Amino acid sequence: MGYCKTCKVKILDDTDRCPLCGSVLKNDGDETDPNSPISRTYPDIFAHKKKLNLTLRIVGFLAVAVSLVSVFLNYNLNGGLKGFYWSLIVVGSLLYAFSILRLIAIEAGYIRQMLSGTIGAVLLVVWIDVLTGFHRWSINFVLPGSMLLVDLAFIIFMIINRKNWSGYMLYQLFMIVIALIPLILILTHVVTHPIVSEIAILSAILVFLGTLILGGAAARTEIQRRFFL
């Protein structure tokens, strides 16, 4: 900890210069200025971040350790590479959990957290489906079902945040792009029960068109601003 004679503040960060004015700091024992009527403390703004990063590193190490132990046990208990790879489900689940914790730690926006969390969850479910025999329940129901929930979430966000409702239009366009995935899966006959996927595709289009039509000039202006039209 040092003391800035110019700003008359204590600096709790581990640095030799004042983050406010750039002056060289005095030693901790010299911070007392009897002529100064004000004695203020500049907080260590990075302390919380450092602790959070350390916690993330510890959690990451534990996740890697558990993953390696799972693969080791799976390999030895199932007679080599033959058998059910349950350890890969453990690895995928830990990876997803760590990614969610990291999103929370870096304080990503709620839209980013929701979309990233949803995409990660869908990928994890598809991964589990593939490892357990690929019965296609993940792409028949979970993928389109998650798309419907995201569309519903955007509608709720627009109702709650009425002043900035037009800001969600870009994300609605993103959902239309995502809707190409179940469309391709339907056309290639990978999806065996297309009804939910068709509803999800229709929902993504209707939500965007509804916002564009009901929003009027404000919605069109937002599209022009986003795409420099």
Side-chain angles (χ1 to χ4, degrees):
M1 183 175 69
Y3 178 76
C4 178
K5 197 171 182 180
T6 303
C7 300
K8 298 181 177 59
V9 294
K10 294 179 182 179
I11 309 299
L12 302 182
D13 295 348
D14 186 16
T15 179
D16 58 354
R17 289 188 175 274
C18 176
L20 300 178
C21 67
S23 301
V24 178
L25 300 177
K26 301 185 68 173
N27 293 331
D28 187 23
D30 300 330
E31 79 272 9
T32 303
D33 186 353
N35 298 322
S36 174
I38 301 176
S39 179
R40 293 170 292 176
T41 300
Y42 184 82
D44 186 356
I45 59 175
F46 299 106
H48 175 69
K49 200 171 203 179
K50 292 176 182 176
K51 292 179 181 178
L52 203 54
N53 288 335
L54 177 60
T55 302
L56 276 178
R57 289 196 294 269
I58 294 174
V59 172
F61 168 74
L62 292 175
V64 171
V66 172
S67 298
L68 291 176
V69 171
S70 299
V71 172
F72 174 80
L73 292 175
N74 194 177
Y75 179 83
N76 286 276
L77 294 177
N78 289 82
L81 297 177
K82 298 179 181 180
F84 176 63
Y85 303 119
W86 56 265
S87 61
L88 298 181
I89 296 179
V90 174
V91 173
S93 301
L94 290 174
L95 179 61
Y96 174 71
F98 180 77
S99 65
I100 294 299
L101 288 176
R102 189 174 180 280
L103 277 175
I104 297 174
I106 64 177
E107 298 180 352
Y110 66 96
I111 295 292
R112 181 181 173 186
Q113 289 179 347
M114 181 190 69
L115 290 177
S116 300
T118 302
I119 292 173
V122 171
L123 291 176
L124 176 61
V125 169
V126 172
W127 179 241
I128 295 173
D129 190 8
V130 170
L131 291 175
T132 55
F134 194 47
H135 301 289
R136 307 192 186 193
W137 52 269
S138 59
I139 57 176
N140 283 334
F141 305 107
V142 176
L143 172 59
S146 64
M147 292 174 57
L148 289 171
L149 289 177
V150 171
D151 286 333
L152 178 61
F154 284 146
I155 294 175
I156 295 174
F157 291 154
M158 291 174 66
I159 294 174
I160 295 175
N161 193 13
R162 295 186 185 90
K163 292 184 179 180
N164 299 315
W165 61 269
S166 59
Y168 295 98
M169 296 190 68
L170 185 62
Y171 297 109
Q172 293 173 359
L173 282 173
F174 173 74
M175 290 306 300
I176 293 179
V177 174
I178 293 295
L180 294 175
I181 296 176
L183 178 61
I184 293 172
L185 294 177
I186 292 174
L187 295 177
T188 55
H189 305 289
V190 177
V191 169
T192 54
H193 295 81
I195 183 63
V196 183
S197 296
E198 292 169 352
I199 293 174
I201 295 170
L202 182 62
S203 172
I205 297 173
L206 288 178
V207 168
F208 174 74
L209 290 179
T211 304
L212 183 63
I213 295 172
L214 296 177
R220 292 190 293 273
T221 301
E222 177 67 15
I223 295 297
Q224 292 173 356
R225 184 178 70 86
R226 292 286 185 176
F227 292 97
F228 306 100
L229 300 176

